[in-house]
Amino acid sequence: MARPAAGRKTRKAAGQAASQSAVTGGGDRDQLLAWYREMLLIRRFEERAGQLYGMGLIGGFCHLYIGQEAIAVGIQAVRRPGDQVITGYRDHGHMLVCGMDPREVMAELTGRAGGSSRGKGGSMHMFSTEAGFYGGHGIVGAQVSLGTGLALANSYRSNGAVSFTFFGDGAANQGQVYESFNMAELWSLPVVYVIENNQYAMGTSIERSSSETHLYRRGASFRIPGEEVDGMDVIAVRDAAARAAEHARSGQGPYILEMKTYRYRGHSMSDPAKYRTREEVEEVRRNRDPIDHVQELLTEKGWADEAALKAIDAEVRAIVADAAEFARISPEPDPSELFTDIYVGAGR
């Protein structure tokens, strides 16, 4: 079933002038290069993860973030120390921009002892309190109530931190989401709900699954403000995230950001994505790709030439290759790990 691509307009026809203005007013060469590198790291990492899955080195489920990189990177740009990130099972990109070691993330994907959760979490259940990353979660929408709980803890402690709670368009129809919305607004909790609307959920277009397709409006009955954002534009994401974070951090309560985005691969590695056409996917890749957009800005402003961009790509590919090799040679977890991390010790 073919349908309009994310954003409905080509990058050149809509928003490029606004994005360039945003760079001039709120960004600089180093910032844009950093975002380019982070998005490219996610893209190359996910491409390699897909290869490892095809080779049988990654088992179970594996949900790739290819196409959605601007969201994780743009949100990360406004995070402060102490802020938390929590998301669903399409989580590898979030882990990387939170600062988790690519070696540990790849080793966890392959179920090895060198992984961030010592090989027990796999693709969908990694965790790092040191990085402020409170998990990928496998149950659809479950992380929304947990992210709201993180915001409640922040409010109780008066620590000024914000919980960035991510979920997808499919999870937007879950009942626990609205229970969380009600609690968050009632108690003015510092939480930013980020809806990564890639328009197909697990395989059903949003028009077929949601009576209200403008998901940022879902908080209206709870009096939660929200806005729709071009999730393929890292600058637009950063700017919207800054507004939302300030709203939450200043004691005004929750805020909803609906990121209109598009995943290039299927829902998971086992999904052939026959519910959309190849032409639709290629149209987005050609006109809306978030990494190509930043590359265009860098070259047009004279901030990076082809050689500089190739050097970044080579550096990123080396990091990913090293992570894949680390995962390959890491041992499997010792059987004794089955009995660890069942309870939190009293001293923790």
Side-chain angles (χ1 to χ4, degrees):
M1 179 180 71
R3 57 189 305 279
R8 298 174 298 282
K9 299 179 182 179
T10 66
R11 176 74 67 188
K12 295 183 184 298
Q16 185 157 1
S19 293
Q20 291 189 10
S21 174
V23 173
T24 302
D28 56 25
R29 174 183 178 276
D30 291 342
Q31 183 66 84
L32 207 58
L33 282 169
W35 290 341
Y36 178 77
R37 182 187 180 280
E38 288 175 344
M39 288 194 289
L40 199 59
L41 175 61
I42 296 172
R43 179 72 58 90
R44 299 298 182 231
F45 185 95
E46 294 289 65
E47 289 170 348
R48 181 58 67 93
Q51 292 172 359
L52 295 182
Y53 188 93
M55 295 166 61
L57 297 176
I58 296 175
F61 292 100
C62 185
H63 306 80
L64 303 182
Y65 202 63
I66 297 174
Q68 301 183 206
E69 296 91 349
I71 301 173
V73 172
I75 295 291
Q76 178 67 28
V78 305
R79 277 187 67 205
R80 296 181 184 176
D83 290 349
Q84 304 106 341
V85 168
I86 187 169
T87 189
Y89 39 73
R90 199 177 306 281
D91 50 3
H92 314 156
H94 292 284
M95 300 170 194
L96 294 172
V97 298
C98 279
M100 293 175 66
D101 187 339
R103 282 183 157 201
E104 293 185 359
V105 177
M106 194 71 83
E108 189 62 38
L109 285 175
T110 56
R112 302 307 179 101
S116 58
S117 298
R118 295 194 289 280
K120 297 186 291 183
S123 173
M124 300 166 64
H125 301 102
M126 292 191 223
F127 200 93
S128 174
T129 54
E130 295 81 7
F133 183 74
Y134 285 78
H137 293 267
I139 299 175
V140 176
Q143 73 277 11
V144 179
S145 51
L146 296 174
T148 305
L150 290 170
L152 175 60
N154 293 337
S155 178
Y156 184 80
R157 294 166 176 159
S158 299
N159 59 14
V162 169
S163 168
F164 290 95
T165 300
F166 292 79
F167 58 102
D169 48 305
N173 293 321
Q174 289 285 326
Q176 58 194 316
V177 171
Y178 301 97
E179 295 177 40
S180 298
F181 284 178
N182 185 57
M183 180 184 292
E185 178 60 26
L186 191 63
W187 294 343
S188 298
L189 300 183
V191 54
V192 175
Y193 296 110
V194 185
I195 306 174
E196 297 189 272
N197 181 6
N198 62 38
Q199 304 175 68
Y200 283 102
M202 188 172 177
T204 303
S205 69
I206 190 169
E207 289 87 356
R208 294 181 59 202
S209 61
S210 297
S211 57
E212 172 55 86
T213 58
H214 296 284
L215 302 182
Y216 71 95
R217 297 175 180 170
R218 292 293 184 91
S221 63
F222 304 99
R223 294 186 288 192
I224 300 176
E227 60 181 289
E228 182 180 288
V229 184
D230 182 358
M232 308 295 274
D233 184 337
V234 67
I235 300 168
V237 174
R238 187 277 312 270
D239 290 348
R243 293 189 293 270
E246 175 57 29
H247 179 94
R249 213 181 298 276
S250 64
Q252 298 180 70
Y255 201 97
I256 297 173
L257 295 176
E258 178 190 357
M259 300 291 176
K260 295 297 288 295
T261 187
Y262 199 87
R263 56 173 167 77
Y264 296 165
R265 301 290 185 91
H267 172 69
S268 69
M269 286 297 297
S270 60
D271 173 21
K274 293 182 178 179
Y275 40 82
R276 59 187 184 181
T277 66
R278 181 178 298 178
E279 291 75 19
E280 178 184 315
V281 179
E282 286 305 311
E283 193 279 331
V284 179
R285 280 185 177 270
R286 185 169 56 253
N287 295 314
R288 304 287 297 165
D289 187 81
I291 298 176
D292 287 350
H293 175 46
V294 175
Q295 181 174 326
E296 289 170 6
L297 291 177
L298 286 167
T299 55
E300 288 171 8
K301 295 184 75 66
W303 286 350
D305 58 17
E306 184 178 356
L309 296 175
K310 284 185 176 180
I312 294 173
D313 191 21
E315 176 201 359
V316 165
R317 288 179 183 275
I319 291 171
V320 172
D322 174 72
E325 178 61 15
F326 177 78
R328 187 187 69 81
I329 64 176
S330 291
E332 293 187 355
D334 188 273
S336 63
E337 282 291 345
L338 288 170
F339 305 101
T340 62
D341 301 317
I342 297 174
Y343 296 103
V344 176
R348 299 171 65 185

